[in-house]
């Protein structure tokens, strides 16, 4: 059985880095699939746990020259008393999948565990320690959120570069000028430039040069030329070019980290929703315990203003609950006894007592966080082009820089000028913006969707959304409330309405269909007959022996199957159906004896949603198992012109395929359970109103609240996100296309770019791409 791990990675600087990690992971035995996103800094790895584990995956990433980031948790273990305890804990925990490192300290009685939260959880680790015979307590406090790792290097480089610039430009007669510049320039390259040199070494060792090589080559060339002129010849000094190049690239990295941090704000907001403590009631006493220690079956008290600590059911009290951060529902939802609540939502009013049902990775909030993190890491097909270009970029740029240097030397411009032009080419050509163009927009767009209660599975879904021209809605439970009610009972044989309901309820008692539920509700309190030989026909109805007599209920298809003539009942059925009602025909003893008319009203927002989709230029269809008359009446009410009627559940996917064969790009909107084949067949499956069950593999888009307008919002958001991706790709390509020839000197003598200006331009291009993506945060429903 395959497992899936999501791993955050530090040290990626461009799309080439992501490709390097993918290659390293793909070469690891047991890894079936690896997707690495430069934009979100995340790897999604599918692997066989019998052949690979978290440690080997971590090792493969490190072997590629990058740093996988594992979560750290500290357990205080009072009964850890000797060296053998340390060995037992370390070796025992290392056997658990998801654990990458363990450090047990006898002096402090702390066990520090590094683990992948996508594979293991804190509660599972605690249970593993208990299983080894020890009593762990989770130590309070966590790892502080770190700022950009480039900030201290940037500040150091800036402080050293300012005097370099001043001395180089204005203090030509300063005593020991060249030595001072040499010392300051060396400090900048050693301290500020070390990440680039280390990165260059690792990438060259792998045989896949990345952008670190370009920065390191450029800075080193200017620095070494200056060193030569300082100690061996009397020539121009370019310490300022080398120092400013490093400083500006570090500034770009720092700003880029800050922008990317803002892009991932949605995930952090979701993580912060979970409270740290819960008020648990045990043995009649209330006490506060860490949320990680909650287990299914626990009863917790939640007061007004407090966050609900875990998913569960209200067993006493009532409250208005703010679910906006989890489901996107802006108005507080009234909850009463028996109602379900979601961990992380806020109790606005009333004291409630909740029985815990889902904790840890099974909770709704954890599912959303996992879903969004994985979706943000998935690549869009359009990114393959950027990856292809980036993977071939560095060797091409080095060649262009070499040609630039030789060309200017042949033109008689001297080694100093020629070197600066070549360095400018090396620096300005770094493909950072191209690598960020797609993942930055995807990260922000998917994060924004999560805030709106729209879960999008990744870039591939977004691309399909952009191409959509047709949306097909399932009727029952999607366009309608899915809760039909009986509005009329027709007695055709003089047996009485009560008898019709008794026979119908006896047959329907074994069915879970919404129409059966409506009949059962109307017949509540009436005694049932004995039922034998029960048989269900999906999409048609039910037959069986009721009190020894042959009986059947359903539509015309089952009557035809059983050879039961409609006779004069057809006109009555036609009249009921023309009013938009669904009719269930009841036969007893081989004859039609009555009909039950039910209505399933369209949702209040159905018409508005259809109008919104039409404004987006989409053609809207409805698909239903009801007959032509009912389908036509419902469509007329909500503004749909085209529909498929009398379609069995198994035929829905075939109708979607038929539309696709006409060249259409189709979205199917269903409930995510009964409609799984159609959701899978569609180019975009939209599972609506899926409540707390979000792990619907069939849906490319999952709406966490039962809101048809969310379908419109999801399509608009998808298209807006793809628009940002196209803008980013255009500007990134335009930047490189224009920047390289300008840096090479095509506009000389009117315009030349010194290396430091090229570095600033390169850095700002990456920041501009991320900043443009951040504008998606302003998107409104």
């Amino acid at each position: 059985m395959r497992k899936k791990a999501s791993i955050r990675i530090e040290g990626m600087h461009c799309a080439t880095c992501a490709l390097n990690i993918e290659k390293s992971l793909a070469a690891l035995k047991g890894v079936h699939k690896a997707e690495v996103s430069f934009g979100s800094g995340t790897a999604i790895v599918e692997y066989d746990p019998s052949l690979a584990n978290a440690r080997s995956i971590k090792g493969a990433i490190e072997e590629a020259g990058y740093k996988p980031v594992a979560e750290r948790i500290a357990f205080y273990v009072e009964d850890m008393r000797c060296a053998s305890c340390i060995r037992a804990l370390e070796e025992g925990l290392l056997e658990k999948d998801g654990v990458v490192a363990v450090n047990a300290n006898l002096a402090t009685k702390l066990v520090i565990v590094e683990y992948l939260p996508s594979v293991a959880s804190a509660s599972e680790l605690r249970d593993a320690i208990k299983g080894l015979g020890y009593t762990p307590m989770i130590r309070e406090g966590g790892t502080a959120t770190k700022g950009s790792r480039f900030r201290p290097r940037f500040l150091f480089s800036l402080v050293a570069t300012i005097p370099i610039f001043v001395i180089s430009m204005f203090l030509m007669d300063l005593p020991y000028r060249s030595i001072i510049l040499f010392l300051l320039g060396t400090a900048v390259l050693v301290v500020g430039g070390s990440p680039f040199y280390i990165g260059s070494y690792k990438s060259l060792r792998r045989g896949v040069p990345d952008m670190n090589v370009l920065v390191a080559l450029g800075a080193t060339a200017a620095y070494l030329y200056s060193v030569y002129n300082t100690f061996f010849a009397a020539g121009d000094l370019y310490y300022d070019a080398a120092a400013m190049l490093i400083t500006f690239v570090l500034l770009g990295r720092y700003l880029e980290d800050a922008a990317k941090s803002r892009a991932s704000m949605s995930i952090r907001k979701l993580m912060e929703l979970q409270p740290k403590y819960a008020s648990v009631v045990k043995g009649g006493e209330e006490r506060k315990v860490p949320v990680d220690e909650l287990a299914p079956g626990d009863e917790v008290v939640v007061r007004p203003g407090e966050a609900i600590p875990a998913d569960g059911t209200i067993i006493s009290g009532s409250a208005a609950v703010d679910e906006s951060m989890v489901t996107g529902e802006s108005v507080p939802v009234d909850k009463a006894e028996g109602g379900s609540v979601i961990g992380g939502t806020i109790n606005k009013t009333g004291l409630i007592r909740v029985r815990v049902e889902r904790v840890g990775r099974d909770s709704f909030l954890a599912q959303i966080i996992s879903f969004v993190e994985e979706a943000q890491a998935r690549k869009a097909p359009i990114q393959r082009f950027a990856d292809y270009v980036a993977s071939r970029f560095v060797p091409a740029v080095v060649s262009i820089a070499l040609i630039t240097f030789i060309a200017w030397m042949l033109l008689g411009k001297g080694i100093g000028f020629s070197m600066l032009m070549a360095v400018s080419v090396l620096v300005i050509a770094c493909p950072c913006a191209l690598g960020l163009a797609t993942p930055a927009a995807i990260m922000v767009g998917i994060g924004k969707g999560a805030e709106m209660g729209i879960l999008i599975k990744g870039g591939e879904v977004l691309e399909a959304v952009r191409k959509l021209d047709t949306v097909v809605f399932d009727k029952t439970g999607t366009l309608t409330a899915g809760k039909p009610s009986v509005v009329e009972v027709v007695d055709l044989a003089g047996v009485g309405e009560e008898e019709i309901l008794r026979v119908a309820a006896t047959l329907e008692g074994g069915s879970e269909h919404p129409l059966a539920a409506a009949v059962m509700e109307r017949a509540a309190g009436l005694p049932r007959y004995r039922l034998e030989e029960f048989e269900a026909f999906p999409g048609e109805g039910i037959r069986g022996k009721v009190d020894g007599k042959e009986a059947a209920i359903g539509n015309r298809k089952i009557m035809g199957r059983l050879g039961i003539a409609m006779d004069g009942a057809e006109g009555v059925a036609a009249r009921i159906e023309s009013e938009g009602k669904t009719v269930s025909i009841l036969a007893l003893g081989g004859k039609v004896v009555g009909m039950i008319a039910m209505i399933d009203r369209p949702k209040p927002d159905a018409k508005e949603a259809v109008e919104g989709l039409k404004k987006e230029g989409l053609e809207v269809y409805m698909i239903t198992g009801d007959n032509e008359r009912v389908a036509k009446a419902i469509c007329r009410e909500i503004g749909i012109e085209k529909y498929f009627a009398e379609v069995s559940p198994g035929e829905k996917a075939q109708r979607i395929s038929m539309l696709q064969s006409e060249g259409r790009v189709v979205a199917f909107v269903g409930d995510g359970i009964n409609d799984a084949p159609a959701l899978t067949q569609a180019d975009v499956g939209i599972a609506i109103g899926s409540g707390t069950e979000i792990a619907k593999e069939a849906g490319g888009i999952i709406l966490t609240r039962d809101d048809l307008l969310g379908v419109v919002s999801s399509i608009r958001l998808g298209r807006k996100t793809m628009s940002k991706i196209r803008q980013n790709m255009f500007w990134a390509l335009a930047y490189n296309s224009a920047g390289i020839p300008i840096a090479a000197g095509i506009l000389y003598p009117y315009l030349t770019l010194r290396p430091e200006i090229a570095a600033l331009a390169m850095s700002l291009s990456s920041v501009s791409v991320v900043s443009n993506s951040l504008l998606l945060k302003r998107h409104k429903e």
Side-chain angles (χ1 to χ4, degrees), residues 458-684:
E460 193 168 347
V461 176
L462 290 170
E463 284 210 34
V465 166
R466 179 178 66 87
K467 300 172 184 175
L468 286 177
D469 53 36
T470 305
V471 177
V472 179
F473 283 93
D474 180 49
K475 180 182 86 71
T476 304
T478 302
L479 281 174
T480 62
K483 295 181 179 179
S485 57
V486 175
V487 292
E488 185 180 358
V489 178
V490 181
D491 179 8
L492 297 173
V495 297
E497 288 188 13
E498 185 175 308
E499 180 67 9
I500 290 170
L501 287 171
R502 284 185 68 188
V503 174
T506 302
L507 286 166
E508 299 280 28
S511 173
E512 296 180 354
H513 195 280
L515 295 180
V519 171
M520 299 300 293
E521 184 179 354
R522 179 64 178 266
L526 295 177
R528 314 280 169 77
Y529 289 112
R530 184 179 74 256
L531 177 64
E532 299 172 317
E533 299 179 19
F534 174 88
E535 189 175 4
F537 299 91
E540 297 182 13
I542 298 166
R543 66 154 295 277
K545 283 192 173 180
V546 176
D547 202 26
K549 297 180 183 179
E550 281 289 345
I553 189 170
N555 57 28
R556 293 172 181 79
K557 289 182 180 178
I558 195 170
M559 297 299 135
R561 176 189 290 273
L562 300 176
I564 299 172
M566 291 290 291
D567 294 331
E570 181 61 50
V572 178
R575 188 267 302 170
I576 293 172
E577 291 164 347
S578 67
E579 297 169 356
K581 301 170 186 173
T582 300
V583 62
S584 283
I585 305 163
L586 179 69
L588 188 63
K591 294 181 179 180
V592 174
V593 296
M595 294 184 184
I596 301 175
M598 288 164 276
I599 192 162
D600 186 10
R601 302 297 312 174
K603 292 177 180 176
D605 55 0
K607 188 171 185 178
E608 186 180 350
V610 170
E611 290 174 353
L613 292 171
K614 288 180 177 179
K615 287 179 182 177
E616 291 294 312
L618 297 163
E619 194 161 11
V620 184
Y621 282 73
M622 184 187 78
I623 193 166
T624 179
D626 284 326
N627 63 44
E628 185 85 13
R629 295 189 190 91
V630 175
K632 187 173 183 179
I634 294 291
C635 284
R636 184 171 56 246
E637 185 174 349
I638 59 180
I640 295 178
E641 288 79 30
K642 298 183 178 181
Y643 55 86
F644 297 112
E646 299 183 50
V647 179
S648 69
E651 293 174 341
K652 290 178 182 177
Q654 296 174 16
R655 297 302 175 97
I656 300 299
S657 179
M658 182 188 77
L659 289 172
Q660 290 169 326
S661 67
E662 297 173 1
R664 296 174 180 270
V665 182
V666 183
F668 178 79
V669 187
D671 64 13
I673 303 172
N674 300 326
D675 300 319
L679 286 165
T680 303
Q681 176 63 45
D683 297 283
V684 178

Side-chain angles (χ1 to χ4, degrees), residues 97-220:
D97 195 21
V99 174
V100 295
V102 183
N103 182 16
N105 188 307
L106 188 59
T108 60
K109 296 188 181 294
L110 287 180
V111 179
I112 310 296
V113 185
E114 290 187 34
Y115 68 104
L116 303 181
S118 61
V119 181
S121 67
S123 59
E124 288 172 344
L125 295 175
R126 185 185 62 241
D127 292 341
I129 294 174
K130 287 180 179 177
L132 294 169
Y134 298 90
T135 308
M137 290 188 296
I138 297 177
R139 189 182 181 189
E140 283 191 44
T143 305
T145 303
K146 295 186 292 184
S148 171
R149 62 197 179 97
F150 294 105
R151 185 172 184 268
R153 294 185 189 277
F154 163 67
L155 292 176
F156 177 89
S157 299
L158 180 64
V159 169
T161 299
I162 290 173
I164 291 175
F165 175 76
V166 172
I167 293 170
S168 297
M169 298 298 293
F170 305 110
L171 303 178
M172 302 299 179
D173 299 322
L174 181 71
Y176 305 107
R177 176 176 179 270
S178 60
I179 299 300
I180 295 172
L181 290 173
F182 164 72
L183 293 173
L184 290 171
T186 301
V188 172
L189 261 69
V190 170
V191 177
S194 60
F196 307 112
Y197 290 109
I198 294 169
S200 297
Y201 168 73
K202 290 178 177 179
S203 71
L204 291 171
R205 190 181 64 180
R206 294 189 305 270
V208 186
D210 59 15
M211 71 156 288
N212 289 301
V213 173
L214 299 181
V215 175
L217 273 176
T220 303

Side-chain angles (χ1 to χ4, degrees), residues 221-223 225-226 238 405 414-424 755:
Y223 173 77
Y225 180 74
S226 301
Y238 297 109
F405 177 80
I415 189 171
F417 180 88
S418 302
M419 180 201 66
L420 286 182
M421 301 301 279
V423 169
S424 295

Side-chain angles (χ1 to χ4, degrees), residues 176-291:
Y176 305 107
R177 176 176 179 270
S178 60
I179 299 300
I180 295 172
L181 290 173
F182 164 72
L183 293 173
L184 290 171
T186 301
V188 172
L189 261 69
V190 170
V191 177
S194 60
F196 307 112
Y197 290 109
I198 294 169
S200 297
Y201 168 73
K202 290 178 177 179
S203 71
L204 291 171
R205 190 181 64 180
R206 294 189 305 270
V208 186
D210 59 15
M211 71 156 288
N212 289 301
V213 173
L214 299 181
V215 175
L217 273 176
T220 303
Y223 173 77
L224 290 179
Y225 180 74
S226 301
V227 169
Y228 176 79
N229 285 340
T230 298
F231 296 103
F232 305 106
D236 294 331
L237 302 179
Y238 297 109
Y239 291 114
D240 57 333
M244 291 174 74
L245 191 160
I246 293 292
T247 301
F248 281 141
V249 175
L250 287 171
L251 172 62
R253 294 274 180 90
Y254 171 51
L255 294 175
E256 187 180 308
D257 277 0
K260 286 163 71 176
S261 177
R262 286 184 61 206
S264 60
M265 185 67 73
S266 299
I267 286 290
R268 291 204 301 280
K269 284 181 179 177
L270 288 171
M271 289 178 171
E272 290 166 1
L273 290 177
Q274 186 75 53
K276 291 184 178 180
Y277 294 94
S279 299
V280 178
V281 178
K282 285 186 179 179
E285 294 185 359
E286 182 181 326
R287 61 188 181 91
K288 281 193 177 293
V289 301
V291 167

Side-chain angles (χ1 to χ4, degrees), residues 1-6 30-34 44-50 52-54 57 95-99 118-120 124 361 374:
M1 182 179 176
R2 294 184 185 181
K3 280 197 172 185
K4 187 181 289 184
S6 173
V31 171
H32 294 279
K33 184 179 180 182
I44 303 295
V45 186
E46 288 185 21
Y47 66 99
D48 183 343
S50 65
N53 57 32
I57 292 169
E95 290 178 3
K96 181 167 183 58
D97 195 21
V99 174
S118 61
V119 181
E124 288 172 344
R361 284 187 293 162
E374 183 172 331

